[in-house]
Amino acid sequence: MKFFVDTADVSEIRDLAAAGFVDGVTTNPSLISKTGRPIRDVIKEICGTIEGPVSAEVTATDFDGMIAEGERLAGIATNVAVKVPSTWDGFRACRVLAHLGHKVNVTLCFSANQALLAAKAGATFISPFVGRLDDIGLDGMEVVREIRAIYDNDESFTTEILASSIRTPLHVKEAAIAGADIATIPPAVLRGLAKHPLTDKGLASFLADWGKTGQAIL
């Protein structure tokens, strides 16, 4: 499973990319707004930092506006993936943008039916929001499992499942088990994948025993 990092903080992206754990980046209007910078500048800098796909989201809600904004965003760099919402106009825009040769990430997906439409429209990625489904008492990961089954049933589908709204390391593990192609993960959660209390406890014990020997490896 590939890891995308869900942030518009370029310093965080550089740090995680240097560790070799970033296959792509996802942004959205909320993340861009936190930077206080123009979206074009932020996306251009991120695209120059990593080689993988960088999702940049349209803010228009109508078909014509999505096409215009999508083409503008796609023109920033060759690795931009245009994000459109899982709405009727969004699916229509996805089809057109995909036919124009642009990578498209269909976002705010909350059902397998929406994912089916995205695949039919030629989406590069579908982004089911597992955390937000959990928030309303549903099993967000079940949607990922349903999408995986549907896509596996049709060999013509090339859309990748990008598990989104990831809140915890458990979400990452469950997404991998469910068959997601990608998880887009906040930086803190990505770093949290390395943590386990027994690892810390065992390391402390080893170092304490080693200290008693008075030895040094170097």
Side-chain angles (χ1 to χ4, degrees):
M1 186 175 69
K2 290 177 283 189
F3 286 172
F4 287 4
V5 62
D6 193 33
T7 183
D9 186 327
V10 180
S11 63
E12 285 272 33
I13 294 167
R14 287 198 180 108
D15 184 56
L16 292 167
F21 293 120
V22 178
D23 300 299
V25 173
T26 56
T27 72
N28 58 47
S30 296
L31 293 173
I32 293 291
S33 70
K34 292 177 182 178
T35 70
R37 300 171 58 200
I39 183 172
R40 184 177 183 85
D41 293 348
V42 176
I43 298 300
K44 185 175 182 179
E45 187 172 2
I46 294 172
C47 287
T49 300
I50 68 160
E51 296 181 0
V54 176
S55 290
E57 189 167 344
V58 301
T59 57
T61 57
D62 64 292
F63 171 77
D64 290 334
M66 288 184 201
I67 297 299
E69 290 185 3
E71 293 213 75
R72 178 68 62 87
L73 291 170
I76 295 173
T78 57
N79 54 332
V80 166
V82 179
K83 282 179 84 173
V84 298
S86 294
T87 62
W88 192 252
D89 279 4
F91 296 126
R92 291 177 59 215
C94 172
R95 176 174 292 278
V96 171
L97 291 167
H99 283 173
L100 290 171
H102 303 311
K103 292 180 283 291
V104 184
N105 179 355
V106 177
T107 191
L108 290 170
C109 170
F110 295 98
S111 75
N113 283 334
Q114 290 175 320
L116 180 56
L117 285 173
K120 296 282 286 183
T124 312
F125 309 108
I126 182 67
S127 293
F129 274 41
V130 297
R132 295 196 189 187
L133 285 167
D134 288 353
D135 289 345
I136 60 170
L138 300 177
D139 180 1
M141 211 57 67
E142 178 62 20
V143 174
V144 175
R145 291 188 286 269
E146 291 174 348
I147 298 170
R148 179 76 278 154
I150 289 170
Y151 285 6
D152 286 349
N153 284 339
D154 193 326
E155 293 181 357
S156 70
F157 291 158
T158 59
T159 304
E160 293 187 275
I161 302 171
L162 202 175
S164 306
S165 188
I166 296 292
R167 305 280 178 78
T168 66
L170 179 60
H171 272 157
V172 179
K173 181 186 76 172
E174 290 179 338
I177 293 171
D181 300 290
I182 310 156
T184 185
I185 313 170
V189 175
L190 182 51
R191 291 189 178 92
L193 298 180
K195 296 179 181 178
H196 195 286
L198 292 179
T199 300
D200 296 339
K201 183 178 180 180
L203 182 59
S205 175
F206 292 159
L207 293 177
D209 290 342
W210 179 250
K212 295 173 185 176
T213 71
Q215 298 183 59
I217 295 174
L218 296 179

